[in-house]
Amino acid sequence: MTLGRALFDRAAHLRDVPGILDALRASEEVEVVVVRDGRARVADGALVTTTPAEVGEAQWALLGRRPAGTPLLVAAVDTPAESIDAAPAETWLGLRDTGGMLDELDTEMLVEAVTLAGWLRDARYCPTCGVAMEVRQSGWSRLCTECDREHFPRTDPAVIVAVESEDGQALLLGANAQWNGRMYSCFAGFVEAGESLETTVHREIEEEAGVRLSALRYISSQAWPYPRSLMIGFRATASAERAARPDGEEIIDVRWFTRAEIGSALAGDGPVGLPGPASIARALITDWYEDRERPDRAEQAGQGAQAAQIDVAVPSERSESECAVPSERSESECAVLSERSESK
């Protein structure tokens, strides 16, 4: 579910057009993605939209426009209107549920809708003075009329890392305590105040797996709205100076997996479970496996890695008290509509 380019027009230039949301909500030629508790309706492998008149009470925002020009809104609801609520419960799905079910366009729209809906729901009051804030920029900001502070949707950066052995023949994965050992995945953690991404990578791997890194490189990123994260993916090479060990709190086990074992696990044949197809963790694992399994790609990957390796000083050793593992945190109508052509 990592998307390298935008397929969906966010139409940011329309957000400050006076009265845009009211104009669009009054139109029958507008589609709405309804989001409830981080879930939207999906049916027959596609994101289901409705009309503004069918939604009822909601927090509204302008998502953007489809490639054909159809305006699209998001409606964050607590309780959907009767006509929508009557939809089968199993059609209300979140990002983890959809996995690879949706095409790239629907996936991009769903991620944006879920992320923005969560902020609209949770950020109604000024965190400074507690006054209810006004929606601005078509749902993309809020203004406190008491202290005049403007607030925007927040993104929390986190790193996620696939760690390979020095010879590139094995991949180090860990089992999170929440999974009870049923699944192994890449190591991840939130960027702390004052940290660079690279520093976070080194710190997290040393804390969670007891391994120091000799090199790392950026691979890709993924919006991960649980509720507002951005996962930044790396591949790294472990230094041979220290054996891997779990921290015993967040990570209960760490294992080096051979290429054959990773291939088997990706095929669903064991020896362990891996993250689902919706996650960047799965993409990182697959990226490593395919590079190593295909000689033509392995040579290219090796050359790319040599050019892209980031030399970062490895943090000095710290005591257990210094390295305590953090808990997972865990607006004119005509102007807008005239740009619309046939939907989908």
Side-chain angles (χ1 to χ4, degrees), residues 147-166:
C147 64
D148 203 34
R149 297 196 181 192
E150 194 170 16
H151 299 270
F152 300 88
R154 168 181 161 185
T155 297
D156 296 334
V159 299
I160 183 165
V161 194
V163 180
E164 64 182 351
S165 59
E166 279 195 310

Side-chain angles (χ1 to χ4, degrees), residues 333-341:
E333 178 179 9
C334 294
V336 177
L337 297 180
S338 63
E339 294 187 49
R340 177 193 178 275
S341 57

Side-chain angles (χ1 to χ4, degrees), residues 43-221:
D44 299 324
L47 186 62
V48 176
T49 61
T50 187
T51 64
E54 294 181 295
V55 174
E57 185 67 26
Q59 297 280 320
W60 296 86
L62 170 63
L63 275 187
R65 297 183 302 195
R66 287 188 177 274
T70 306
L72 193 67
L73 304 178
V74 59
V77 302
D78 293 323
T79 303
E82 184 176 346
S83 60
I84 298 175
D85 202 29
E90 61 269 21
T91 66
W92 289 90
L93 302 178
L95 294 173
R96 287 192 177 97
D97 305 312
T98 58
M101 181 189 307
L102 303 178
D103 63 23
E104 288 189 352
L105 177 60
D106 274 3
T107 297
E108 185 178 348
M109 292 192 301
L110 178 58
V111 171
E112 182 182 342
V114 168
T115 305
L116 192 53
W119 180 74
L120 288 170
R121 179 196 63 204
D122 297 338
R124 304 185 189 188
Y125 301 93
C126 177
T128 302
C129 63
V131 172
M133 297 186 291
E134 294 182 353
V135 172
R136 298 292 177 93
Q137 293 188 303
S138 302
W140 286 87
S141 71
R142 288 184 184 271
L143 180 67
C144 177
T145 57
E146 182 68 23
C147 64
D148 203 34
R149 297 196 181 192
E150 194 170 16
H151 299 270
F152 300 88
R154 168 181 161 185
T155 297
D156 296 334
V159 299
I160 183 165
V161 194
V163 180
E164 64 182 351
S165 59
E166 279 195 310
D167 62 5
Q169 299 304 303
L171 191 66
L172 182 66
L173 301 178
N176 192 288
Q178 294 183 344
W179 307 330
N180 296 319
R182 294 189 301 269
M183 183 174 73
Y184 283 71
S185 185
C186 300
F187 301 92
F190 283 93
V191 179
E192 293 186 348
E195 281 190 320
S196 68
L197 298 177
E198 294 83 1
T199 301
T200 304
V201 170
H202 284 288
R203 175 181 57 77
E204 285 289 342
I205 300 304
E206 187 168 6
E207 288 179 354
E208 294 187 352
V211 169
R212 303 185 76 180
L213 306 175
S214 60
L216 63 95
R217 62 188 177 103
Y218 168 79
I219 300 297
S220 63
S221 64

Side-chain angles (χ1 to χ4, degrees), residues 233-284:
F234 292 86
R235 273 173 57 176
T237 302
S239 170
E241 65 183 81
R242 194 189 296 177
R245 55 98 184 116
D247 63 33
E249 297 180 23
E250 186 174 348
I251 305 298
I252 59 174
D253 189 31
V254 293
R255 285 179 57 182
W256 286 104
F257 292 89
T258 66
R259 289 179 295 170
E261 289 175 322
I262 291 297
S264 178
L266 286 170
D269 299 328
V272 295
L274 295 179
S279 68
I280 189 174
R282 179 79 172 215
L284 289 171

